[in-house]
Amino acid sequence: MQDAVLAMLAKEPSHGYHLRARLRRALGPLGESMNAGQVYVTLARLERAGLVVCERVDGLPDRPDRKVYALTPAGQQRVAAWLAEVSWPKPDLAEFHLKLAAAAAGRLADPVEMVAVQRRALLRRLRDAQRAVMAESDDSTAAVLLEGVVLRLQADLRWLEACERVWSRVEIESEDA
């Protein structure tokens, strides 16, 4: 979130409310869960880190002063580094596989049933993501983001099928032993 806020400030200085609106617009339905406090807490952290500076701007007669945030040179460098960095979503599937192995080793739970529970949860998330894609126009940036979510969930479901095949075999082999 911090890097995205910094990148949004790279265009122009802004106040928190405007930043939040821009982030929500860019994320489409995925941004709806972002609460207002998140942006302000992030801005305060970035200010403490020396990545942004804050200037108070007089508000309208019936409104309080606003804080307008702008990037510092260090903030500009961080945005440039972030944009140049090749990144990939964190593989939370590795943690799930460790749970399967631990559950099987300690006979704490049936790994095949754990896979089934995980599959049901992913199918719900996939259905929600597909509905969100359908609600977006084809040329929106949110639509392409949601398409990435759908493709990743589909890949995760295929991986769960492989897990189920392997853990079903492991279970049969341990019964035969």
Side-chain angles (χ1 to χ4, degrees):
M1 169 90 152
Q2 287 186 359
D3 292 313
V5 168
L6 285 172
M8 291 286 184
L9 284 172
K11 178 181 178 189
E12 63 189 4
S14 184
H15 55 83
Y17 179 82
H18 187 236
L19 282 171
R20 179 175 177 247
R22 287 173 54 203
L23 282 166
R24 287 181 73 168
R25 222 178 7 261
L27 295 173
L30 298 177
E32 291 172 11
S33 64
M34 182 188 318
N35 75 37
Q38 249 178 308
V39 172
Y40 295 105
V41 167
T42 299
L43 286 167
R45 285 185 184 137
L46 293 171
E47 187 176 15
R48 282 192 303 275
L51 300 171
V52 300
V53 291
C54 175
E55 179 183 325
R56 288 199 176 272
V57 176
D58 292 336
L60 298 172
D62 60 339
R63 294 195 182 171
D65 293 347
R66 290 193 171 191
K67 292 181 177 182
V68 175
Y69 296 86
L71 290 181
T72 63
Q76 292 168 346
Q77 288 175 346
R78 178 151 164 191
V79 169
W82 181 63
L83 293 176
E85 175 184 289
V86 176
S87 61
W88 196 247
K90 291 182 177 109
D92 57 353
L93 297 180
E95 181 180 344
F96 180 69
H97 195 269
L98 290 173
K99 286 181 186 179
L100 292 175
R107 298 190 191 276
L108 303 170
D110 177 7
V112 175
E113 180 55 32
M114 289 174 65
V115 168
V117 169
Q118 187 80 1
R119 179 184 296 113
R120 286 191 295 273
L122 284 177
L123 284 169
R124 278 191 299 276
R125 289 175 57 195
L126 177 60
R127 184 184 63 239
D128 293 344
Q130 287 171 328
R131 284 184 184 145
V133 167
M134 300 291 282
E136 291 292 320
S137 64
D138 289 341
D139 61 345
S140 79
T141 57
V144 75
L145 173 65
L146 290 165
E147 183 179 350
V149 170
V150 166
L151 292 171
R152 182 163 171 97
L153 288 169
Q154 290 171 337
D156 291 351
L157 284 164
R158 284 193 304 277
W159 179 76
L160 285 176
E161 289 172 12
C163 284
E164 184 176 41
R165 281 192 308 274
V166 167
W167 286 102
S168 293
R169 254 194 332 266
V170 167
E171 220 175 61
I172 291 171
E173 290 169 4
S174 66
E175 287 174 5
D176 292 342

